[in-house]
Amino acid sequence: MSYLDNNATMQMYPEAIEAMMTIQRLHFGNASSIHSFGSTAREILEKARRGIAKIIGCKPKELHFTSGGTEANNWVFRGVLESRVGCGIITSTIEHKSVLKAATAARSYRSAHKLRVDKDGVVELDDLESAARDIVRGSAWGTRPSCLVSVMLANNETGVIQPIREIVDVVKYIVPDSVVHTDAVQMFGKHRVKVQTLGVDLMTISAHKVGGPKGIGALYVREGVKIDPLILGGHQEHDRRAGTENVAAAVGFQVAAACITGDMIQKGRIPTHRGYAETAKRDRDELEVGLLSALDDVWVNGGERERVCNTLNVGFRGVDSEALVLVLSGLGIFVSNGSACESGALEGSHVLRAMGQSEEDSRSAIRFSFSDTMPEGYCGLVLKDVIESVNALRGMPSITP
Ligand code: PLP
């Protein structure tokens, strides 16, 4: 079995499961209760918050737990735009659906611009500059121009990394009263991600992409940035996100983040994994080189640019990606084509289409996303099976390296 769909979700680290089970069994108090069960749960929750805050280089009070990346992204649009009358929106054509749909919902009452990307899937900075200038020009006389910019740090389909620092610099120069958000769900844990270096005001992360549990993520909100709550009720999460905190999930998130970033190795704990970044990149590169040298009419989407260490997106001309996913699944290789739309019908990937690919080419792409949880030496077998499957789907005789 080869699970290579880690950008969809990653197997949990055993350390994270263990930690969560201990909390569920022993420290089940409500973190808002004032008795000792509550205060213990509160201490555990705040320790988890401090651990994740340290990894991204923010203050613990700037980190707010949510139910995942989707909620955090939705919160950004509702929470920032609610109190900023006339605020413009700039996002990009390659964002995750949780950003695109939140931006579309907000667009009904505000102007919005989706940034173009080049053929390698990198946001075009001149388009950003002209969109920012349009916002300044279009703002009502006597009002301060403002905008919300949301561009992902790394794309979930191609792994291509976006120039967020440059985006922040351009936007803040033209529209000083702007709020910049990045969806760092696919980058966090896999590479060094520090909010100060990026210069962003808001940042989304999620636990299940880094070997933590599903159903928890977080939004970093830089101190001083105004954001209204999305979920109303109690005083949890610094009065910004109501609802009883999921202490066990927060701990699972923090432990997974420590595992994937290598923090556990530094602390002298014996990790069950082999070192994420090096392992994922080595396996990714091995498959990439193998496929490019063995097959004709294949290409790596975003391959010319800096990509997340674990992601490989390959186009196989003339091959229907859904058929290939299913054939590989039958062989025990689990990958994704990232192009199934919500209705179940198949449309080309919006990301690859935005990169200028034809509908046919955009329907031929497979995403292989690696981690450090696979046993040594599986990559050669995957390579052989993918080559044979592509040849079979192309109606060609099988030639294996
Ligand atoms: N943003 C990106 C880039 C993603 O890849 C995903 C999940 O696929 C999300 C947001 C949503 O995160 P979650 O599954 O935690 O809601």
Side-chain angles (χ1 to χ4, degrees), residues 260-286:
I260 199 168
T261 54
D263 215 28
M264 296 292 244
I265 303 172
Q266 283 160 25
K267 288 197 178 110
R269 298 266 306 269
I270 300 164
T272 54
H273 55 101
R274 294 180 282 139
Y276 184 92
E278 307 75 45
T279 310
K281 184 173 184 315
R282 191 199 56 206
D283 294 352
R284 191 268 309 263
D285 292 349
E286 185 181 332

Side-chain angles (χ1 to χ4, degrees), residues 225-282:
V225 171
K226 188 167 165 9
I227 183 165
D228 289 343
L230 175 68
I231 297 179
L232 302 170
H235 295 292
Q236 292 91 350
E237 297 302 300
H238 321 120
D239 263 337
R240 279 178 155 164
R241 199 271 184 184
T244 303
E245 295 100 335
N246 190 340
V247 179
V251 169
F253 189 1
Q254 182 263 313
V255 172
C259 284
I260 199 168
T261 54
D263 215 28
M264 296 292 244
I265 303 172
Q266 283 160 25
K267 288 197 178 110
R269 298 266 306 269
I270 300 164
T272 54
H273 55 101
R274 294 180 282 139
Y276 184 92
E278 307 75 45
T279 310
K281 184 173 184 315
R282 191 199 56 206

Side-chain angles (χ1 to χ4, degrees), residues 7 94 127 174 232 247 311:
N7 285 11
I94 57 160
D127 193 21
I174 300 171
L232 302 170
V247 179
T311 308

Side-chain angles (χ1 to χ4, degrees), residues 112-188:
H113 181 86
K114 276 199 225 162
L115 299 171
R116 288 191 307 268
V117 295
D118 63 19
K119 66 171 186 26
D120 297 315
V122 178
V123 160
E124 292 190 356
L125 290 177
D126 56 353
D127 193 21
L128 172 70
E129 195 179 322
S130 67
R133 292 203 190 283
D134 282 350
I135 283 172
V136 174
R137 267 194 295 275
S139 58
W141 194 81
T143 61
R144 248 176 101 74
S146 71
C147 68
L148 168 63
V149 178
S150 179
V151 176
M152 67 201 329
L153 191 47
N155 183 261
N156 43 306
E157 291 187 30
T158 60
V160 170
I161 297 171
Q162 301 300 321
I164 297 300
R165 181 73 233 192
E166 284 95 318
I167 288 172
V168 170
D169 291 345
V170 168
V171 170
K172 299 265 174 182
Y173 179 71
I174 300 171
V175 191
D177 194 12
S178 55
V179 175
V180 182
H181 165 250
T182 192
D183 173 350
V185 164
Q186 294 292 350
M187 183 91 158
F188 169 72

Side-chain angles (χ1 to χ4, degrees), residues 7-8 67-71 73 96 98 152 154 156 183 185-186 204 206-209 216:
N7 285 11
S67 66
T70 298
E71 183 191 318
N73 285 346
H96 186 260
S98 55
M152 67 201 329
N156 43 306
D183 173 350
V185 164
Q186 294 292 350
T204 296
S206 174
H208 72 106
K209 311 289 186 181
I216 187 158

